Amino acid sequence: HVQLVESGGGSVQVGGSLRLSCAGSGYGAGIACMAWFRQAPGKEREGVAAMYTLFGSTYYAESVKGRFTISQENAKLYLQMNGLKLEDTAMYYCAAVLSGAAKCGASWSSRELYKDWGQGTQVTVS
């Protein structure tokens, strides 16, 4: 069972940057599909970016391409967010799946793929 804890959220002005972190325990060096999702008030949770750790493959939503970068280092997952916009305001969640990670490429943005979720970290852009 994977436990995920996000950090790094906060308030930032339009055009600013934030770096979110997700610390995971329970999967060690296992192959995983790990992702960042976000949910704004009144909207559905949507996939922002994901990484298939076996190959380091990354996937992004069109709305964040060129602005956000997902990475992994020392068992932590990161989301570097640059050029933040008002519409990026949301609660950001880290998610992971071990078994079924091979579906990452095709299904990374599907909430149903992931078995483990963090509690979220708030990002507010004004």
Side-chain angles (χ1 to χ4, degrees):
H1 181 67
V2 176
Q3 291 184 322
L4 304 171
V5 179
E6 303 95 336
S7 61
S11 297
V12 64
Q13 292 186 333
V14 171
S17 299
L18 281 174
R19 190 190 194 202
L20 305 183
S21 300
C22 175
S25 63
Y27 68 92
I31 298 168
C33 180
M34 300 193 72
W36 289 97
F37 280 71
R38 67 186 181 187
Q39 187 167 19
K43 293 188 177 182
E44 292 193 355
R45 192 171 297 188
E46 63 174 358
V48 175
M51 173 179 282
Y52 183 34
T53 62
L54 177 61
F55 302 121
S57 307
T58 58
Y59 313 94
Y60 295 94
E62 285 295 326
S63 59
V64 306
K65 277 184 180 178
R67 300 189 298 122
F68 291 11
T69 303
I70 189 171
S71 63
Q72 186 187 41
E73 185 176 345
N74 296 331
K76 275 192 174 183
L77 187 73
Y78 296 97
L79 185 68
Q80 178 66 45
M81 305 186 294
N82 299 328
L84 283 161
K85 303 176 180 180
L86 293 174
E87 52 264 42
D88 295 319
T89 294
M91 184 71 79
Y92 283 71
Y93 298 89
C94 178
V97 61
L98 302 180
S99 175
K103 300 177 182 177
C104 202
S107 304
W108 74 267
S109 62
S110 173
R111 290 177 294 172
E112 290 71 27
L113 175 65
Y114 300 92
K115 300 298 188 287
D116 299 288
W117 293 83
Q119 294 300 308
T121 185
Q122 178 68 37
V123 172
T124 302
V125 185
S126 61

